[in-house]
Amino acid sequence: MIYLDNGATSFHKPAVVRQAMLRAMDRCANPGRGGYPAAMAAAETVFRCRERAADFFECESQQVVFTSNCTHGLNIAVETLVKPGARVVISGFEHNAVTRPLHTRKARIRVAGRRLFDWENTLEEFEDGLKAGADAAVFTHVSNVFGYILPVEEMAALCRQYGVPFVVDAAQSAGTLPVSLKKLGADFIAMPGHKGLLGPQGTGILLCNRLPEPLMWGGTGSESENQDMPDFLPDRAEAGTLNVVGIAGLGAGIGYLQHKGIENIYRREHQALLRCIKDLQKRGLRVFSGDHQSATISFVSNGDCEKTAQLLAESGIAVRAGLHCAPLAHESAGTLETGTVRISFGHDANPGQNEALYRAIAKIAG
């Protein structure tokens, strides 16, 4: 199988990730619940991953909260910053993991920036939204549909200028592009462990610059006599037993990225992207590409997008088609009725993947 659906999850994982998870299954009990060797091994595994993540994302280790996925982290962030009926500015390319929690809280949403790959439009409309009055802002770093890299540093600076707390959704950027809590000054940055960070499903990280409101209440291994959740990080947002095996794999994934260098991974992915754009355009397909693009690209097939993806799957090519849980992004791009076929490269991008994809598309077209 030629796997080109890394926007959904990275696959295959580096060998060190699998090895770390197997070691944790053999050696780790419950962290923070005992002083015997297996419990201490679990605590050390969790602490090591927390330290690696803090170094990787330029923050303090206690600011690293482990979640079950990026959606979990975004829900914590929204719960903390967005009161019912609050005014919230978002970009025109948000995932349902952002829009659904906001709609649930009946937030008054202002969508800013609908033009793909257009930083000027994004920043102009985003600032207009902040000027008009906003209680919070939530915006993605990279569109999961089109690979559009938003000007998050400039958007963060605008939020700080207007005194608006904000959340960054780093689902498609963490592990490929630089993400720094220190530099962005975000209140929260949410990310999955299983995409660019190369960890397993069921893991995620929420970087916290303020004390979050808990979504869950329960044991933390600390302040057991207190019937409220602890008022310090990371315990306040980590009720119950942590996914130690998953965290072991996540820590190994981050270590792998530190060793390889994300700039090298990005360069490899971007070379594959440029070749893919050229190949798709040769076939006369409508391709969404431009400046400020990550390793994800969408195109509209000459037939039904879902059918095209199915035919590619039958040729051994794994892609994703449809609305990608991001109808707002498709509405912005004018593809809400058709959807798109999405190709997303990963850390193992190579010319052979492009060649196989091109042959498969040529076969379908024929």
Side-chain angles (χ1 to χ4, degrees):
M1 177 179 66
I2 304 298
Y3 186 77
L4 298 175
D5 194 21
N6 288 277
T9 191
S10 53
F11 184 83
H12 298 280
K13 311 293 182 182
V16 291
V17 173
R18 298 192 296 273
Q19 292 161 2
M21 294 176 71
L22 288 172
R23 281 197 303 272
M25 291 184 73
D26 287 339
R27 301 176 186 177
C28 294
N30 204 332
R33 270 64 168 182
Y36 50 87
M40 295 303 291
E44 174 60 26
T45 296
V46 171
F47 179 74
R48 189 184 310 117
C49 182
R50 213 184 293 276
E51 287 281 288
R52 277 185 177 169
D55 179 62
F56 199 60
F57 298 114
E58 297 187 330
C59 63
E60 300 300 321
S61 59
Q62 67 269 20
Q63 293 177 291
V64 177
V65 167
F66 291 117
T67 60
S68 59
N69 47 48
C70 186
T71 300
H72 181 192
L74 288 168
N75 272 265
I76 293 173
V78 170
E79 174 71 21
T80 304
L81 296 183
V82 180
K83 305 307 176 189
R87 300 163 298 172
V88 182
V89 182
I90 65 174
S91 84
F93 302 96
E94 300 304 318
H95 190 278
N96 279 343
V98 168
T99 57
R100 283 178 172 173
L102 292 176
H103 279 285
T104 297
R105 300 188 72 73
K106 294 181 172 55
R108 289 174 284 167
I109 299 171
R110 177 162 179 158
V111 180
R114 291 298 192 100
R115 297 178 190 166
L116 268 173
F117 312 115
D118 188 337
W119 277 18
E120 184 177 347
N121 171 254
T122 297
L123 290 171
E124 180 182 343
E125 293 197 7
F126 188 73
E127 184 170 14
D128 286 345
L130 298 179
K131 281 181 181 177
D135 301 302
V138 188
F139 48 91
T140 188
H141 192 169
V142 176
S143 165
N144 73 305
V145 181
F146 302 103
Y148 172 32
I149 303 171
L150 277 70
V152 291
E153 292 186 9
E154 292 84 350
M155 295 167 80
L158 287 170
C159 287
R160 296 194 302 269
Q161 177 183 336
Y162 290 97
V164 177
F166 66 100
V167 183
V168 177
D169 175 1
Q172 300 292 327
S173 61
T176 302
L177 297 172
V179 176
S180 169
L181 184 64
K182 180 180 179 181
K183 290 178 181 175
L184 289 176
D187 292 80
F188 299 101
I189 302 177
M191 64 194 70
H194 67 97
K195 296 186 182 184
L197 297 181
L198 306 179
Q201 288 105 326
T203 60
I205 290 174
L206 180 66
L207 305 177
C208 302
N209 239 343
R210 67 160 67 195
L211 200 64
E213 291 298 323
L215 281 186
M216 294 174 57
W217 289 259
T220 59
S222 60
E223 294 193 349
S224 294
E225 75 285 357
N226 182 4
Q227 292 305 290
D228 292 323
M229 289 297 288
D231 61 356
F232 54 85
L233 290 167
D235 296 41
R236 185 168 179 80
E238 290 185 351
T241 298
L242 292 172
N243 177 6
V244 177
V245 174
I247 290 170
L250 176 56
I254 295 173
Y256 178 90
L257 294 170
Q258 290 172 318
H259 175 69
K260 294 291 185 180
I262 61 171
E263 66 282 356
N264 296 322
I265 292 172
Y266 176 79
R267 187 181 307 114
R268 184 175 184 173
E269 293 177 348
H270 201 67
Q271 287 171 350
L273 174 80
L274 295 177
R275 171 69 183 275
C276 185
I277 292 170
K278 185 177 179 181
D279 288 347
L280 292 173
Q281 288 175 338
K282 278 183 186 177
R283 303 305 312 177
L285 297 168
R286 183 187 177 197
V287 181
F288 294 87
S289 65
D291 295 333
H292 317 298
Q293 189 165 14
S294 70
T296 293
I297 186 168
S298 272
F299 68 91
V300 176
S301 65
N302 294 326
D304 179 79
C305 287
E306 298 279 1
K307 181 64 175 176
T308 299
Q310 181 59 41
L311 291 171
L312 286 172
E314 291 170 4
S315 297
I317 311 291
V319 299
R320 184 177 175 186
L323 297 182
H324 314 93
C325 299
L328 179 62
H330 284 280
E331 183 181 291
S332 295
T335 54
L336 189 61
E337 296 300 319
T338 62
T340 61
V341 179
R342 184 187 71 181
I343 298 161
S344 45
F345 295 95
H347 70 101
D348 60 349
N350 63 78
Q353 294 175 337
N354 286 97
E355 292 167 8
L357 174 65
Y358 185 75
R359 288 195 304 267
I361 289 178
K363 179 182 175 182
I364 291 171

